[in-house]
Amino acid sequence: MRARYPEVFRIPLSARLAVLGTVAGVVGLAVFAMVRLDFSLARIVHGLHRLGAFAGLMLPPSAGGRFWDFVHALGETLAIAFLGTLAAALLAFPIAFLAARNVVPNPFARFAVRRGLDVIRSVDVLIWALVWINVVGLGPFAGALAIACADFGALGKLFSEAVEAADRGPGEGIAAAGGSGLHRVRFGLVPAVLPVLGGQVLYYFESNTRSATIIGIVGAGGIGQYLTELIRVLELQQVAFLVLMILATVAAIDAVSGRLRRALIGEAGR
């Protein structure tokens, strides 16, 4: 094949130089980053030894007589994730249609909505948590608001892309039958994208269970507050117990949401 079609197998010199230049640039950036961050293999080896000793102090995991306090805090974390995800999805659903090319043909209006979603999405959930803690005070309410704000921008973008990728056949059929633009969206686009949007919301709820744990460390409620307090006082056996509780909860949510996502995607494919 190479002898018969040499032009297919011949790589231009410019393409080879581009590949070599890209590889050299990536390697150079990696070396620069390691120098700036004081990368040291000896420090890693020494750190692993200390990590092993640290892990040994966490065994055996123990609730320390605070099992029901931990269960209550875990339930609070799940409530934060659920309410934050639900609020974000409800707010992002109508906004996503305003950001979709096949719904709003005006490029200026669509550009304004998309850039607004980008601005909201660019702020991390931990930053949102610090902002809302100063606005509404410490506690789970601030955590739910932080997750809602962070996910509003992300879900708005994902929802709009799902709307743009939806099959146009049903909408065109409704328009040909005399339906208005609102009818095309209501009866053509919404039924087609709802299963996809539902799957995305379930995935974000699963992810937000972990995020709710992290923002609890800065005072936004949930089990994260227990984690940071116990780490500070070196109650490592209780820390290990909390970590196991979080792992078991996330695994259970992952299994349930995975089944629901597959069911929704299967319904969308029918």
Side-chain angles (χ1 to χ4, degrees):
M1 293 292 291
R2 184 182 295 273
R4 183 174 298 180
Y5 305 102
E7 66 281 358
V8 175
F9 293 91
R10 186 180 301 116
I11 301 177
L13 180 61
S14 59
R16 294 182 179 182
L17 292 177
V19 172
L20 291 175
T22 302
V23 173
V26 171
V27 172
L29 286 174
V31 172
F32 175 76
M34 287 189 292
V35 171
R36 293 289 297 175
L37 296 176
D38 296 328
F39 178 83
S40 171
L41 187 61
R43 290 173 62 186
I44 292 177
V45 174
H46 182 66
L48 290 176
H49 174 71
R50 294 182 61 187
L51 180 62
F54 190 81
L57 296 175
M58 300 175 73
L59 299 176
S62 171
R66 307 172 72 181
F67 175 78
W68 292 112
D69 293 335
F70 293 162
V71 171
H72 179 269
L74 183 60
E76 195 173 79
T77 297
L78 293 176
I80 292 171
F82 175 76
L83 290 177
T85 307
L86 180 63
L90 293 177
L91 292 173
F93 182 74
I95 299 299
F97 288 92
L98 300 179
R101 185 177 293 104
N102 53 341
V103 176
V104 178
N106 189 319
F108 299 103
R110 194 172 64 248
F111 177 83
V113 175
R114 284 181 176 269
R115 297 294 77 79
L117 293 174
D118 289 343
V119 170
I120 296 173
R121 191 176 68 254
S122 64
V123 180
D124 188 74
V125 64
L126 196 59
I127 306 301
W128 279 117
L130 293 173
V131 170
W132 282 113
I133 284 172
N134 285 278
V135 173
V136 301
L138 297 170
F141 183 47
L145 290 174
I147 289 179
C149 289
D151 282 6
F152 169 64
L155 288 176
K157 176 180 174 58
L158 292 175
F159 286 3
S160 65
E161 292 176 349
V163 171
E164 289 181 347
D167 185 11
R168 299 185 179 183
E172 293 174 352
I174 293 171
S180 64
L182 184 60
H183 290 150
R184 181 175 63 86
V185 173
R186 168 62 183 85
F187 299 103
L189 283 177
V190 172
V193 300
L194 272 181
V196 178
L197 304 190
Q200 292 172 343
V201 172
L202 287 172
Y203 173 77
Y204 266 77
F205 170 60
E206 172 196 331
S207 176
N208 285 335
T209 304
R210 296 184 290 269
S211 298
T213 302
I214 299 301
I215 62 177
I217 294 176
V218 298
I223 205 169
Q225 288 183 320
Y226 279 103
L227 271 175
T228 184
E229 292 172 5
L230 293 173
I231 290 174
R232 286 173 182 170
V233 298
L234 296 179
E235 291 287 349
L236 300 183
Q237 292 179 333
Q238 295 184 42
V239 171
F241 188 84
L242 286 177
V243 170
L244 291 177
M245 287 182 64
I246 295 169
L247 289 176
T249 303
V250 171
I253 293 174
D254 177 53
V256 174
S257 64
R259 288 179 177 272
L260 292 175
R261 283 199 302 269
R262 288 190 292 270
L264 289 171
I265 294 173
E267 287 293 331
R270 292 193 180 99

